[in-house]
Structures are given as C-alpha cells and as structure tokens.
Amino acid sequence: MTTHQPAPTELAGAVHSLKILTVNTHKGFTALNRRFILPELRDAVRTLSADMVFLQEVHGTHQHHAKRYEDWPPTPQYEFLADSMWPQFAYGRNAVYPHGDHGNALLSKFPILRHENLDISIGTQEQRGLLHSVLDVPGHAEVHAICVHLGLREIHRKQQLGLLCKVLDRLPSDAPVIVAGDFNDWRKRADGLLAASGLKEAFVSEHGAPAKSFPARWPLLCLDRIYVRNATTHHPQVLSTRPWSHLSDHAPLAVEIRL
C-alpha cells in the first residue's frame, strides 16, 4: 500500500457529514467520443464542492490525445480535475497500453494516509481494479474509500464482487467504509452479494431501488452505485440534467454521508 505524508488533522473539529460524488469520466470525452470536454467536466464538478470524488475511466497519460487536442491538460486527468480544490488524490492504474494508461482515482479534501490499487481483472480482455484509500477524517480513526470499476460480463462481476467482499472482510469491523463507482450491474445482483459484508446502497435505502445512470441523457440502466458501512446515506441524487447529461456517457451520483 502506498503511504502518504499528509498534514495532521488531530486538532481539527470532528467531521460528521461528507458530500460524495462518483462519476465515470469516459476519459474526458462525451458519449461516442465526439468531443473532448474534460475542462467543462472540471467546472461542473467544482460547483458541487464534494468532499470526495470517486472517478472511473480517468487517464493518467495519453500521448496521442495530448498531441491532438489543444486543451489536453499537461498533468494527469485526475490531477487536472483535483486542481486547487482537492489537495489530496490517489490513482489506480488499471489499463496500460503503448500510448498511455487509465484507471480509477479518488479526489479528497481530507488527507489520504495510504492507498492501494487491487487488480481484479478476469482474463485479458478487460482491465479492472479496486482503488482502496484510507483517509484521515477528523473525529474518526480511519475512513476507508474504495473506488470500483467492474467488468461487463456478469460471470466476471460475480468474481470481482467476491474479491471486493474479501477486501471488506479484512477491514476493521467498526470503521466507516464508502464504496462507490461503476459496477456495470445492470442486472442488479450486487446488493445481495455485498449485503453479507454489511454494505447498504444509498438509493436502495432511500428509494428501494438502485439509481438509473446510463446512458446519461436518458438513464435506463442501473450501472453505478454508492454503498456504505458504519455510516448512513441521505439525499442521494442522479445528476442527469444539463450540464451533466452532456459531460459523460454515465450520469454522476451524489449523496450526503453521515458518519
């Protein structure tokens, strides 16, 4: 696990509420890759003032795109999105190719004590990962944040959810845990598998069903999730109106989490 040296928070007042956002960035492009819109996505994300942002399909590097697009950032996409608003970020590289890489990332207003990227790829066709970060949130010993991107095939997702459960079962039983990301779970099987590890999904808790988040302009499929353990979720939202509907192929999910 990669260890950070963040500023201490021992003297800060206890934090009992967190704003969470999760979004599949589609590598900074609109649906069908018609337009590069990462700067617009950054502007939209900043308006929410989330405490933590869970990102999937975010580029670390891409040499070809850097030459093709004038507004391609000189820094990794996750660092560009973090800008000056999220001083802490962690990146888990899932896919590597000759001209670049992409994976999951976490942006945080709180110190990230350490992070680890777990390869959960099944076979060689899809590269997937779990980015596990441990945060120093005032008033809590440790808060665990796991950014998830699962495979397209159900048989793969079932195995990957089993791997996620093994990670969860190794964590302290009383620690707050937040698990968010793109589960590709259009058949809605994840809730039952993760319940054994004590996870509760935000939209299921509030509305009785997962959120419809794909495609962003006309959400029909329930692909994205926000789960918690030793915490509660409040006021979950699907961000499917403009500008969000035109900034990725997934609609972002937002929720307040109380510790």
Side-chain angles (χ1 to χ4, degrees), residues 187-203:
R187 300 193 65 165
K188 305 178 186 178
R189 302 292 174 83
D191 290 352
L193 294 171
L194 295 176
S197 293
L199 290 187
K200 295 183 179 180
E201 207 280 327
F203 290 84

Side-chain angles (χ1 to χ4, degrees), residues 227-243:
Y227 292 93
V228 298
R229 188 170 77 187
N230 298 319
T232 59
T233 54
H234 303 267
H235 316 301
Q237 293 179 283
V238 183
L239 305 177
S240 57
T241 58
R242 281 184 175 269

Side-chain angles (χ1 to χ4, degrees), residues 17-22 51-54 106 108 110 131-135 137 142-148 164 167-168 171 175-181 183 199-200 202 225-233 255-259:
S17 178
L18 302 172
K19 294 180 180 179
I20 301 298
L21 176 71
T22 181
D51 296 298
M52 298 180 199
V53 183
F54 294 69
L106 178 74
S108 174
F110 301 101
L131 176 63
H132 175 204
S133 302
V134 183
L135 289 85
V137 178
E142 290 183 342
V143 173
H144 295 261
I146 303 177
C147 188
V148 173
L164 173 58
V167 173
L168 293 166
L171 301 183
V177 180
I178 305 165
V179 182
F183 283 72
L199 290 187
K200 295 183 179 180
R225 301 283 197 280
I226 301 174
Y227 292 93
V228 298
R229 188 170 77 187
N230 298 319
T232 59
T233 54
V255 71
E256 177 192 355
I257 292 178
R258 296 177 191 168
L259 305 175

